[in-house]
Amino acid sequence: MNRPPSPISLAPGAPANAKPSCANCAARRLCLPSHVPLEDYGVFERMVQRRYQLLRGEHLYQMNEPVHDRLYVLRSGHSKTYHLDSDGQQRVTGFQMSGEFLGLDAIGLRQQRGAALALTDCEVCEISHRRLQQAADQSVPVGAWLRTLLSKELSRQQNATQLLRGGRAEQKFAIFLLRLSWCFAERGGMPDSFHLPMTRQEIGDYLGLTAATISRLLLQLKRAACVDACGRDIVVLDHAGLTAFAHGAAAPAQRQRA
Amino acid sequence: MNRPPSPISLAPGAPANAKPSCANCAARRLCLPSHVPLEDYGVFERMVQRRYQLLRGEHLYQMNEPVHDRLYVLRSGHSKTYHLDSDGQQRVTGFQMSGEFLGLDAIGLRQQRGAALALTDCEVCEISHRRLQQAADQSVPVGAWLRTLLSKELSRQQNATQLLRGGRAEQKFAIFLLRLSWCFAERGGMPDSFHLPMTRQEIGDYLGLTAATISRLLLQLKRAACVDACGRDIVVLDHAGLTAFAHGAAAPAQRQRA
DNA sequence: CGTATGGTTGATACCCGTCAACCGGTGTGG
DNA sequence: CCACACCGGTTGACGGGTATCAACCATACG
């Protein structure tokens, strides 16, 4: 874990030693509105207080940190957010990848924020909450963009909720894999071949299952020739079959609840 | 179910035949920013296209309705939102009561909206999406208010997600009751005595359980003298005991994951 | 009075949590 | 260099929590 952090990831075509900015960011397509021309990136650029790198295992922010006035965007890498419940158990609330925002819920200042941890080496943009609000107040397009951002995040969260309500463990896990596949594809990776940034335990915490169950589910999918897996390397062999699992097609007698 | 709809609920002190408005709304404390003086309610008033009443069993909106440009606030009554999954099974995504917004997620236009159904007779304010956006664009305070609203909704949704990840059925149900109690109290009702607007089946759908299980859980809580229940009338006898259930205190051997 | 809906309760099956042992890889210290 | 601990992952045995299915009752409504 002591390898030096990789350099800030730049958009293809940018000189390797360029100063990192929104304009040359490889993830800008994911976190900034697509219709804004490059020369208008100044508004967003000014929100960013600083950019820096995190090593695997470092925290973006800790639980109950006094500074609720920052949010973060992942330029590259993967992270997880989690809470500690009353018994000290970790409960994973989500996984994030490049272009995604962390801390949007803190805008309402209503709920104590959890913690965020880098699952791989990460590059992050730290955004000043205050400057973001100011920009939204002063610029109509920025305000609209922020509203869209919040609303999209709300939809994402609703989707996550749906995943948990879903009945059987295989369904949840299959849906989880499909979404992950889609997320990797959205970022230019192979949709059917990717590397999990998180442990089985973390997947289980996220889905309301256990590491042992995740392991068994993966075995089940391998036996059905839907996926191949070696450690954290996943290959989706049969996308349709996996989708069938996600819809609960593999029910022996009858589906649990749909 | 054929009783005439009750009149639009007015804030205490308002004449009974007053034209309904934000200024005399009994729920204004819940849906409007508290620091805005009554005489500045015009901005909000103008967003409301119309107000009307719904009978129990009527829809606020249906699945995949072409009009995604409206949102709603409940002046009074209770509603549920739900989706139909691939097998035609209803999945309840939430319950709403007076002062709560429905359709905020549609601002992002990212996900097909589900359906919303009145569980009791309701009075609703229909808000024009377009006018809301315009108001947010033109007025800095309205913009900030809308952002706060979205962020709070995000927090609510995250809480709902947490509820589902939680381990055992009794915990989920106990938390559900406690939240409900809190919501009723927030609206001026007795915190320890309320009437459920939804069926056991709907509670089960919402919590990822079945109606039979809900029934048994209620029996369990009654035996523990935590609550008394007659039909949908609930009396919380032992708030601390119920909280203990919510934290998983009633674990025979060991808590599942908390 | 007949029907439909919601609620309760019992018997049974089974999914999945729990506990445990084991293995491979990695980092650490002797 | 090897021994050791530790972590993540796999696999098995076992038990318990819930779903499932069913019958039955109460209530509301035609």
Side-chain angles (χ1 to χ4, degrees):
Chain A
M1 200 202 279
N2 261 340
R3 58 199 157 107
S6 49
I8 288 277
S9 66
L10 300 174
N17 58 352
K19 185 170 180 301
S21 71
C22 286
N24 66 18
C25 177
R28 66 162 188 266
R29 188 178 49 79
L30 295 160
C31 66
L32 292 181
S34 54
H35 52 81
V36 173
L38 272 185
E39 52 270 27
D40 291 350
Y41 273 11
V43 197
F44 303 108
E45 197 66 57
R46 277 189 293 277
M47 296 178 200
V48 181
Q49 281 186 314
R50 54 190 185 127
R51 298 179 222 268
Y52 55 91
Q53 304 176 15
L54 284 164
L55 294 181
R56 175 159 59 107
E58 291 184 309
H59 275 87
L60 280 88
Y61 48 85
Q62 296 271 7
M63 296 211 58
N64 301 326
E65 246 180 28
V67 275
H68 278 261
D69 56 349
R70 292 177 199 148
L71 48 151
Y72 299 86
V73 189
L74 284 186
R75 265 178 87 100
S76 70
H78 298 266
S79 67
K80 71 168 177 183
T81 49
Y82 66 92
H83 282 263
L84 295 181
D85 67 14
S86 43
D87 295 12
Q89 281 289 332
Q90 233 184 67
R91 331 207 66 162
V92 176
T93 53
F95 301 110
Q96 297 80 35
M97 45 206 296
S98 58
E100 292 194 68
F101 286 75
L102 293 98
L104 280 177
D105 52 327
I107 291 185
L109 295 175
R110 192 148 151 284
Q111 125 165 336
Q112 60 161 341
R113 178 194 261 180
L117 182 82
L119 293 174
T120 65
D121 293 351
C122 284
E123 309 152 44
V124 301
C125 303
E126 185 181 289
I127 293 183
S128 157
H129 203 134
R130 189 178 45 77
R131 285 192 224 167
L132 175 62
Q133 300 273 19
Q134 282 178 356
D137 286 342
Q138 289 163 8
S139 156
V140 166
V142 171
W145 165 74
L146 185 51
R147 286 197 299 274
T148 306
L149 199 61
L150 282 165
S151 180
K152 277 188 190 171
E153 198 63 26
L154 187 55
S155 291
R156 291 171 55 87
Q157 195 64 36
Q158 284 179 350
N159 275 329
T161 309
Q162 286 292 79
L163 200 165
L164 289 173
R165 246 183 283 265
R168 277 226 293 304
E170 16 166 327
Q171 296 182 37
K172 295 197 223 174
F173 184 54
I175 294 174
F176 175 77
L177 285 180
L178 285 170
R179 292 197 185 166
L180 218 48
S181 160
W182 193 86
C183 283
F184 278 108
E186 192 186 15
R187 282 158 182 79
M190 308 274 295
D192 294 345
S193 172
F194 50 89
H195 184 84
L196 298 175
M198 70 292 279
T199 68
R200 308 283 195 261
Q201 179 67 52
E202 287 164 336
I203 299 175
D205 284 348
Y206 178 63
L207 296 177
L209 302 168
T210 61
T213 299
I214 298 297
S215 195
R216 275 186 265 262
L217 288 172
L218 204 47
L219 183 63
Q220 192 179 336
L221 290 178
K222 274 158 89 170
R223 275 209 262 263
C226 278
V227 307
D228 196 12
C230 178
R232 297 194 187 175
D233 290 312
I234 303 288
V235 180
V236 179
L237 300 172
D238 179 3
H239 217 271
L242 191 54
T243 306
F245 267 98
H247 290 344
Q254 197 125 19
R255 279 169 250 47
Q256 180 168 349
R257 60 175 35 259
Chain B
M1 200 199 278
N2 261 340
R3 58 199 157 108
S6 47
I8 287 278
S9 66
L10 300 175
N17 58 351
K19 186 171 180 298
S21 70
C22 286
N24 67 16
C25 177
R28 66 163 188 266
R29 189 178 48 82
L30 295 160
C31 66
L32 293 181
S34 53
H35 53 81
V36 173
L38 272 185
E39 52 270 27
D40 291 350
Y41 273 9
V43 197
F44 304 107
E45 198 66 57
R46 278 190 291 278
M47 297 177 198
V48 180
Q49 279 186 315
R50 52 188 185 128
R51 298 179 223 268
Y52 56 92
Q53 304 176 15
L54 283 165
L55 294 181
R56 174 159 60 106
E58 291 184 310
H59 276 87
L60 279 88
Y61 48 84
Q62 296 271 7
M63 296 211 58
N64 301 327
E65 246 179 29
V67 275
H68 279 262
D69 56 350
R70 292 177 200 149
L71 47 153
Y72 299 87
V73 189
L74 284 187
R75 265 177 87 100
S76 69
H78 298 265
S79 67
K80 71 168 177 182
T81 48
Y82 66 92
H83 282 263
L84 294 181
D85 67 15
S86 42
D87 294 12
Q89 282 288 332
Q90 229 183 70
R91 331 207 67 161
V92 176
T93 52
F95 300 109
Q96 298 81 34
M97 45 205 297
S98 59
E100 293 193 67
F101 285 76
L102 293 100
L104 279 176
D105 53 325
I107 292 185
L109 295 176
R110 193 148 152 283
Q111 125 165 336
Q112 60 161 341
R113 177 194 264 182
L117 182 83
L119 293 174
T120 65
D121 294 351
C122 286
E123 308 151 45
V124 303
C125 302
E126 185 181 288
I127 293 182
S128 156
H129 204 133
R130 189 178 43 77
R131 285 193 225 167
L132 176 63
Q133 300 272 20
Q134 281 178 356
D137 286 343
Q138 289 163 9
S139 155
V140 166
V142 171
W145 165 73
L146 185 51
R147 286 198 298 274
T148 306
L149 199 62
L150 282 165
S151 180
K152 277 187 190 171
E153 197 62 27
L154 188 54
S155 291
R156 290 170 56 85
Q157 195 63 36
Q158 284 179 351
N159 275 329
T161 310
Q162 287 291 81
L163 199 159
L164 289 173
R165 245 183 284 265
R168 278 227 293 305
E170 16 166 326
Q171 296 183 39
K172 294 197 226 173
F173 184 55
I175 295 173
F176 175 76
L177 285 181
L178 285 171
R179 291 196 186 166
L180 217 48
S181 160
W182 193 85
C183 284
F184 277 109
E186 192 186 16
R187 281 157 182 80
M190 307 274 295
D192 294 343
S193 173
F194 49 88
H195 184 85
L196 298 175
M198 70 293 277
T199 68
R200 309 281 195 263
Q201 179 66 53
E202 286 163 337
I203 298 176
D205 284 348
Y206 178 64
L207 295 178
L209 302 168
T210 61
T213 299
I214 299 296
S215 193
R216 275 186 262 262
L217 289 172
L218 204 47
L219 183 64
Q220 193 179 334
L221 291 178
K222 276 158 86 171
R223 276 208 262 264
C226 278
V227 307
D228 196 13
C230 178
R232 296 193 187 175
D233 289 313
I234 304 288
V235 179
V236 179
L237 300 172
D238 179 4
H239 217 272
L242 191 54
T243 308
F245 267 98
H247 289 342
Q254 198 130 19
R255 280 170 250 46
Q256 180 167 349
R257 60 172 36 259

